[in-house]
Amino acid sequence: MSTIETLAQKLAVDTLKVQDATGEERLYVEVGQVLGAASQSLEEAFLTEMRVRLAERKARDFLNRRIQQAQAQLDAKGDA
């Protein structure tokens, strides 16, 4: 892993922690703008990390809802 990828990964993890703690869902956009003024390469790597992590969260939430729905259906059949 390159230095840029390593830094982008760590920054993405930290940014998500702050976003979760503060409720600022678009904080990463502001962080990306700060990065873009200093390093376009790091900005691109960071934004890619963020998009991937946010997409994974959405997919995981979707799967968890489907599991809950399936469990509720099984429970309802068991009660009938």
Side-chain angles (χ1 to χ4, degrees), residues 2-71:
S2 73
T3 300
I4 289 176
E5 290 170 330
T6 301
L7 292 173
Q9 184 179 51
K10 289 179 182 180
L11 191 55
V13 168
D14 291 343
T15 300
L16 282 171
K17 287 178 185 176
V18 175
Q19 280 188 191
D20 291 344
T22 63
E24 293 181 62
E25 294 180 6
R26 305 282 295 166
L27 177 64
Y28 76 95
V29 174
E30 293 177 48
V31 174
Q33 290 171 345
V34 171
L35 285 173
S39 170
Q40 286 184 327
S41 297
L42 185 53
E43 175 194 21
E44 290 173 12
F46 167 74
L47 291 175
T48 297
E49 283 286 333
M50 289 300 302
R51 283 191 295 271
V52 167
R53 290 169 187 277
L54 292 170
E56 187 271 342
R57 277 186 174 189
K58 285 183 181 182
R60 191 153 307 281
D61 287 344
F62 171 79
L63 287 175
N64 287 337
R65 283 193 308 275
R66 291 302 283 263
I67 290 168
Q68 290 171 353
Q69 290 171 353
Q71 187 62 51

